Amino acid sequence: MATAQLRPDAADGLERAARAVLPSSVADFIGGGAGEELTLAWEQQAFTDYALRPRVLSGVDRPDLSVSMLGCAVSLPMAVAPMAYQRLVHPAGELEAVEAAGRAGALTVVPMLSSVGLEEVADAAAGPLWFQLYCLRDREVVADLARRAERAGYRALVLTADAPRLGSRRRDLRNGFTLPPGVTPVNLPHRIGGVPGAPGTGASAIAQHAAATHDATFSWSDLAWLRAQTELPLVVKGVLCAEDAVRAADTGADGIIVSSHGGRQLDRAVPSLHALPEVAEAVGDRCEVYLDGGVRRGTDILVAAALGARAVFAGRPVLWALAAGGADAVAELFAQVRGELQEAMVLAGRSSLAGLDGLLSPRRRERTC
Ligand SMILES: Cc1cc2nc3c(=O)[nH]c(=O)nc-3n(C[C@H](O)[C@H](O)[C@H](O)COP(=O)(O)O)c2cc1C
Ligand SMILES: CCCCC(=O)C(=O)O
């Protein structure tokens, strides 16, 4: 697909273009959420709870969008969220998104469940990479992945803490979702990787694999254990309240990603944007605070930054772009968001993301949830 066609409306246009080329069960896997998909809907609605208070005559011509993410200098405060099995949507899988993000000056979090090996992805990357881990029963596999990521040049580890088991994703259950041949968790040793799932067993392949490998007993002491396994900065993903944010900081986390996993885990969980201020306030300067969930345009980044996020991560839009037009479309998505953020900062009279005090006004008394 010609990238010029993507310009009018990046978020919605990309999803439409992707759905036109993807099998419907794959589009459902990507687009879906858990339960009644309330949190999924709230994630995007939450951004409309805030209006911007622009300042005029502030002389801002070229706002500074650069930021440091745990020591990684990036020129855009939007990174790629970890998303499993990217070869579901593009033959080059994770290599393609990493290339585009690097070109855009953005960071990528490579998922533990990547469908291209973590070393091969690192070799191909132009921009900084973090590596995501799940809380697995087999601690030796977790420690080994951490060591491999460190050796391959990843700059931080992200422990996803909100998936002791997989949320009930009704669309995947309805579709009996399985991974097609050739899309496998190649980073995992065969004893726990295998070929996830088989049709007709009543659960999605992804849910079965998570049931067999994830450890719901993983707790704060295990986070302390992981902290001791690596020299890399450690980020906890999936925090939605101040208490857990403080606990993560106390246990040695360097960063927190405020996230509801894009509404894919606990349905009716608070949308991440609403949890962000209490987390940012609770940890102060002890941890870098990030957000994902529902970020679709430049103004969303501005709202999240004003509420305490150092940078944000985008999930589904990147996969839709990957499906619709590969690395070029992902690069186009990043270019569009960069343009929107620049425009919003000029029009709001803000020269940098560090100086957003007084930018937000609650749009209504009643929140969307
Ligand atoms: C298809 C898909 C796969 C995902 N896989 C992972 C994963 O392997 N690890 C993880 O921590 N989060 C995973 N996530 C969650 C994302 O990292 C992120 O939290 C979420 O997508 C953000 O919301 P957004 O899609 O609205 O931007 C996945 C999300 C999607 C849509
Ligand atoms: C075991 C989880 C598979 C990836 C996924 O779908 C998600 O994290 O949302």
Side-chain angles (χ1 to χ4, degrees):
M1 147 169 219
T3 52
Q5 281 174 270
L6 301 174
R7 279 192 183 281
D9 180 353
D12 301 340
L14 284 171
E15 180 169 347
R16 260 196 309 279
R19 284 183 182 279
V21 297
L22 288 175
S24 62
S25 64
V26 172
D28 274 351
F29 168 63
I30 295 169
E36 299 165 274
E37 301 190 338
L38 289 174
T39 299
L40 174 64
W42 293 343
E43 281 292 344
Q44 284 190 54
Q45 284 166 18
F47 285 92
T48 68
D49 291 338
Y50 297 92
L52 303 177
R53 294 174 65 244
R55 300 296 305 270
V56 296
L57 298 179
S58 40
V60 176
D61 179 24
R62 295 165 70 87
D64 179 10
L65 311 190
S66 64
V67 64
S68 144
M69 300 175 68
L70 291 170
C72 302
V74 290
S75 69
L76 187 69
M78 186 175 88
V80 180
M83 288 174 293
Y85 304 124
Q86 294 178 25
R87 292 190 67 228
L88 278 171
V89 302
H90 192 284
E94 289 76 10
L95 295 172
E96 198 79 358
V98 158
E99 185 211 315
R103 239 196 270 166
L107 179 147
T108 302
V109 187
V110 174
M112 178 191 87
L113 297 174
S114 62
S115 45
V116 177
L118 70 93
E119 288 85 3
E120 192 181 342
V121 177
D123 284 347
L129 302 180
W130 295 354
F131 189 72
Q132 176 260 331
L133 295 164
Y134 274 117
C135 304
L136 301 178
R137 291 171 202 267
D138 192 330
R139 301 293 195 274
E140 192 38 49
V141 171
V142 178
D144 188 53
L145 286 167
R147 283 191 291 269
R148 283 172 61 191
E150 197 163 347
R151 267 199 309 271
Y154 287 79
R155 306 280 295 276
L157 296 176
V158 176
L159 182 75
T160 299
D162 59 10
R165 52 170 287 174
L166 213 67
S168 297
R169 298 158 186 189
R170 295 180 186 172
R171 301 192 211 198
D172 295 346
L173 294 175
R174 229 177 10 245
N175 296 332
F177 181 64
T178 56
L179 295 177
V183 181
T184 57
V186 292
N187 293 322
L188 299 182
H190 194 74
R191 70 175 187 278
I192 75 163
V195 179
T201 50
S204 83
I206 305 286
Q208 285 176 56
H209 188 247
T213 54
H214 291 205
D215 186 357
T217 74
F218 205 102
S219 67
W220 294 105
S221 58
D222 296 292
L223 180 68
W225 165 82
L226 181 59
R227 173 67 292 171
Q229 300 299 308
T230 178
E231 299 285 305
L232 289 174
L234 188 56
V235 180
V236 179
K237 174 174 183 279
V239 169
L240 285 173
C241 66
E243 299 90 317
D244 284 348
V246 168
R247 196 80 196 257
D250 289 346
T251 315
D254 304 284
I256 288 169
I257 304 178
V258 181
S259 170
S260 77
H261 211 113
R264 295 163 74 82
Q265 286 298 104
L266 177 63
D267 193 32
R268 290 182 192 245
V270 58
S272 51
L273 194 75
H274 288 172
L276 175 60
E278 69 174 65
V279 168
E281 194 188 346
V283 298
D285 291 335
R286 298 176 67 202
C287 273
E288 295 190 359
V289 176
Y290 299 94
L291 172 121
D292 77 21
V295 175
R296 298 295 178 265
R297 41 192 65 80
T299 41
D300 295 338
I301 302 176
L302 209 47
V303 171
L307 290 173
R310 173 178 283 259
V312 300
F313 295 83
R316 293 177 183 88
V318 174
L319 289 185
W320 298 135
L322 206 53
D328 286 347
V330 177
E332 182 70 26
L333 168 71
F334 275 97
Q336 175 129 358
V337 168
R338 179 186 295 280
E340 290 168 356
L341 180 57
Q342 264 161 348
E343 175 184 334
M345 288 177 74
V346 169
L347 294 177
R350 306 298 174 130
S351 60
S352 85
L353 294 158
L356 300 179
D357 285 355
L359 177 66
L360 297 185
S361 159
R363 201 172 67 81
R364 18 180 140 132
R365 289 266 159 257
E366 307 262 324
R367 296 200 315 195
T368 47
C369 69

